[in-house]
Amino acid sequence: MSRPLVVDSVAALRAQIRDWRRDGVSLAMVPTMGALHDGHISLIRIALEKADRCVVSIFVNPTQFAPSEDLDKYPRQLGRDLDRLAEAGAQLAFTPGVAQMYPAGFATKISVGGPAAGLESDFRPTFFDGVATVVAKLFLQASPDCAVFGEKDYQQLCVVRQLCSDLDLPVDIIGAPTIRDAHGLAMSSRNAYLGETELAVARQLNAILRRTAAALAAGADEGSATAEASRALVEAGFEQVDYVAARESLTLAPWRRDRDGRLLAAAWLGKTRLIDNVEVPSA
Amino acid sequence: MSRPLVVDSVAALRAQIRDWRRDGVSLAMVPTMGALHDGHISLIRIALEKADRCVVSIFVNPTQFAPSEDLDKYPRQLGRDLDRLAEAGAQLAFTPGVAQMYPAGFATKISVGGPAAGLESDFRPTFFDGVATVVAKLFLQASPDCAVFGEKDYQQLCVVRQLCSDLDLPVDIIGAPTIRDAHGLAMSSRNAYLGETELAVARQLNAILRRTAAALAAGADEGSATAEASRALVEAGFEQVDYVAARESLTLAPWRRDRDGRLLAAAWLGKTRLIDNVEVPSA
């Protein structure tokens, strides 16, 4: 178990990757905001199955937080993160500061439509602009062959795929299954915000989604089933439900029974916003 | 004089470039919308001084035209363009169709602020989004070491520099001096729209700008000098002046006498809009 090499400048990142490329190795990237948990570790494992080397970026990207959101309190624990990267076998950690990513005068924004429309964007209207811009930068800094993103952030995965396709970014995007605790709760850095009582409520989110997806697959009316899911979330103890919605799984266009679907939800527990999603098999 | 290789798909473009890269050659790109004139040829000559191979893209990019603009009548003359590329020694012409660049479902836009603000953007508000998006795509398709842009489109040159800097696009942007006819008229594909009488008027644009820049460098008041230039353009026969403005030459921020400046103008002759710019030396 060796510690990863840690670099915080684009120049040092590119120098290391250039050395590797000279030896003909392939490279996978796992972009993260740190606070690494078992979900991230599973992404790194997949990355190392796909490529010879794995670079993990750790950057809490301010441009994907709205002023009202949790940028300041977002968990930061670099020492612990580097231990976890060592365990997982990642060879390189890229830990740029904000001034490295967004120097004075920075003025460019990438906006993705299509799968970015609706769902998260209805509640976090500038979120995917921030994600698309930072992901494009990270890919152009590291030029990986592939990158692994968790299905936990399902809409983000679709948006990154659209971004790469539209801009001809030659990076193969790999979606990785969500890692859950024994009760079905999706791993998330934001779970750290939850108290005991909230955790018990949070653990019901996935079960309610799975039940709703099964009802949809069995022929239930879409509007009734998602409304029922929202009621069930509130009864379980969620204070606000931003959305429960079925979508076509690749494009996030309106759901059609004859295509693979995805049921996605976002709901609040106190000041913590949780998201999750499950498959809706085609009829 | 050998004809350039012509490819119209990203796959064929990348295959050819991959072959070249295997032999260790360097690559320069000259993005164009075709209708090649001596200005473009000068860009290709510079490209071939900087790199072993030159790829010229010929693509009339619909996303940088507003609905009211001249997309449909923009001159298209591929056969003649390829002859000119052969003369100039470009090795590769990339001539994608609209469906290759913007397939169904395309949904991504790059917006640049900073140098893109004002001037052209006041009159063509979506122009630089279209330019930035297509230039990023072309660079990601061809991955050139450098690219040559004419100073004729001075604001565009500044915007492309900002784009590459902000997105970490590893392409060295080279600005090339404007090529003019014997009367000072900047070469432009849109000059083809001008009749005899209009041409005589157009040829006064550069002289008026040079005179104004000299006045500014000699201490003239900025507001009075640019207003006087606008009046002179109308007296010369221009029907409408969109702007005559002095700016700081690198950032296009407001002009300061102690820094290198640029005097930029756009004006109409009938249905033809001409732009030009000249240096304003620092005091």
Side-chain angles (χ1 to χ4, degrees):
Chain A
M1 184 177 114
S2 64
R3 307 271 302 200
L5 185 67
V6 182
V7 294
D8 62 6
S9 75
V10 174
L13 175 76
R14 285 182 169 156
Q16 177 57 62
I17 290 168
R18 207 177 304 123
D19 277 0
W20 282 342
R21 292 296 194 187
R22 215 169 276 140
D23 298 335
V25 305
S26 59
L27 180 69
M29 185 168 211
V30 178
T32 82
M33 298 209 300
L36 302 181
H37 50 65
D38 288 352
H40 297 107
I41 302 308
S42 78
L43 306 183
I44 296 166
R45 295 236 164 85
I46 292 170
L48 287 168
E49 284 164 16
K50 302 282 177 185
D52 302 316
R53 299 280 187 285
C54 176
V55 54
V56 177
S57 60
I58 297 180
F59 178 61
V60 182
N61 176 34
T63 70
Q64 70 193 66
F65 288 78
S68 61
E69 291 179 347
D70 57 345
L71 173 62
D72 290 336
K73 71 165 190 165
Y74 197 86
R76 288 163 172 89
Q77 45 190 42
L78 185 58
R80 209 176 143 273
D81 287 346
L82 294 177
D83 291 341
R84 299 232 56 186
L85 292 186
E87 278 168 53
Q91 289 86 359
L92 183 56
F94 177 46
T95 60
V98 171
Q100 174 70 210
M101 293 297 277
Y102 305 114
F106 185 93
T108 298
K109 185 178 75 178
I110 302 181
S111 307
V112 180
L119 302 173
E120 288 298 295
S121 291
D122 287 342
F123 300 89
R124 309 179 71 189
T126 62
F127 174 66
F128 285 122
D129 289 354
V131 168
T133 306
V134 81
V135 167
K137 281 178 63 74
L138 290 167
F139 286 177
L140 285 162
Q141 290 164 348
S143 57
D145 301 295
C146 66
V148 189
F149 287 81
E151 288 183 345
K152 155 71 164 45
D153 298 294
Y154 192 85
Q155 190 177 12
Q156 171 177 278
L157 170 62
C158 297
V159 169
V160 169
R161 284 201 167 113
Q162 179 85 38
L163 169 76
C164 290
S165 168
D166 284 354
L167 292 188
D168 306 282
L169 270 160
V171 181
D172 186 21
I173 303 303
I174 297 156
T178 303
I179 302 299
R180 303 178 181 280
D181 75 5
H183 310 269
L185 176 64
M187 296 283 168
S188 165
S189 305
R190 290 187 169 104
N191 291 352
Y193 301 154
L194 302 172
E196 275 297 308
T197 325
E198 290 174 328
L199 197 60
V201 178
R203 283 174 167 154
Q204 297 179 66
L205 172 57
N206 188 247
I208 292 169
L209 290 184
R210 278 188 286 117
R211 198 168 74 207
T212 307
L216 288 169
D221 172 73
E222 181 183 350
S224 315
T226 53
E228 171 52 30
S230 287
R231 271 194 301 275
L233 288 169
V234 171
E235 272 167 35
F238 282 93
E239 281 137 58
Q240 189 188 316
V241 178
D242 279 353
Y243 61 83
V244 178
R247 294 295 183 95
E248 199 272 305
S249 70
L250 288 178
T251 60
L252 299 187
W255 180 56
R256 294 168 44 162
R257 285 180 195 281
D258 62 339
R259 297 215 181 152
D260 283 339
R262 206 84 193 178
L263 182 70
L264 307 99
W268 290 84
L269 267 175
K271 289 182 174 173
T272 306
R273 187 172 182 276
L274 297 180
I275 62 174
D276 199 2
N277 67 87
V278 298
E279 199 186 345
V280 184
S282 61
Chain B
M1 182 176 114
S2 62
R3 306 269 301 196
L5 185 69
V6 182
V7 295
D8 63 5
S9 75
V10 174
L13 176 76
R14 285 183 169 155
Q16 177 57 61
I17 290 168
R18 205 178 305 120
D19 277 359
W20 282 341
R21 291 298 195 185
R22 213 170 278 137
D23 298 335
V25 306
S26 58
L27 180 68
M29 185 168 210
V30 178
T32 83
M33 300 209 299
L36 302 181
H37 51 64
D38 288 351
H40 297 107
I41 301 309
S42 79
L43 306 184
I44 295 166
R45 296 237 163 86
I46 291 170
L48 287 168
E49 283 164 17
K50 302 282 179 184
D52 304 315
R53 299 279 186 284
C54 175
V55 54
V56 176
S57 60
I58 296 180
F59 178 61
V60 182
N61 177 35
T63 71
Q64 71 193 64
F65 288 77
S68 61
E69 291 179 348
D70 56 346
L71 173 62
D72 290 336
K73 72 163 188 166
Y74 196 86
R76 289 163 172 87
Q77 45 190 44
L78 185 59
R80 208 174 146 277
D81 286 348
L82 295 177
D83 290 341
R84 299 232 56 186
L85 291 186
E87 278 168 53
Q91 289 86 359
L92 183 57
F94 177 46
T95 60
V98 171
Q100 174 70 210
M101 293 297 277
Y102 304 114
F106 185 93
T108 298
K109 185 177 75 178
I110 301 181
S111 307
V112 179
L119 303 173
E120 288 298 294
S121 292
D122 287 343
F123 300 89
R124 310 179 71 189
T126 62
F127 173 67
F128 286 121
D129 290 356
V131 168
T133 306
V134 81
V135 167
K137 281 178 63 75
L138 290 167
F139 286 176
L140 285 162
Q141 290 163 347
S143 57
D145 300 295
C146 65
V148 189
F149 288 81
E151 288 184 346
K152 153 74 162 46
D153 299 294
Y154 192 85
Q155 191 177 11
Q156 171 176 279
L157 171 62
C158 296
V159 169
V160 169
R161 285 203 165 111
Q162 180 84 36
L163 169 76
C164 290
S165 168
D166 284 355
L167 292 188
D168 307 283
L169 270 160
V171 181
D172 186 21
I173 304 302
I174 296 157
T178 302
I179 302 298
R180 303 178 181 281
D181 74 5
H183 310 269
L185 176 63
M187 296 281 167
S188 166
S189 305
R190 289 186 170 104
N191 292 351
Y193 301 154
L194 301 173
E196 275 295 308
T197 325
E198 289 174 329
L199 198 60
V201 178
R203 283 175 166 153
Q204 297 179 67
L205 172 56
N206 188 249
I208 292 169
L209 290 184
R210 278 188 286 116
R211 196 169 74 205
T212 308
L216 287 170
D221 173 72
E222 181 184 350
S224 315
T226 54
E228 170 53 31
S230 288
R231 270 194 302 275
L233 288 170
V234 171
E235 273 167 36
F238 282 93
E239 281 138 59
Q240 189 188 316
V241 177
D242 280 352
Y243 59 84
V244 178
R247 295 295 184 94
E248 198 273 306
S249 70
L250 288 178
T251 61
L252 300 187
W255 179 57
R256 294 167 44 162
R257 285 182 195 279
D258 62 340
R259 296 217 181 150
D260 283 339
R262 206 85 193 175
L263 182 71
L264 306 98
W268 290 84
L269 267 176
K271 290 180 175 176
T272 305
R273 186 172 182 276
L274 298 180
I275 62 175
D276 198 1
N277 66 88
V278 299
E279 199 185 347
V280 184
S282 60

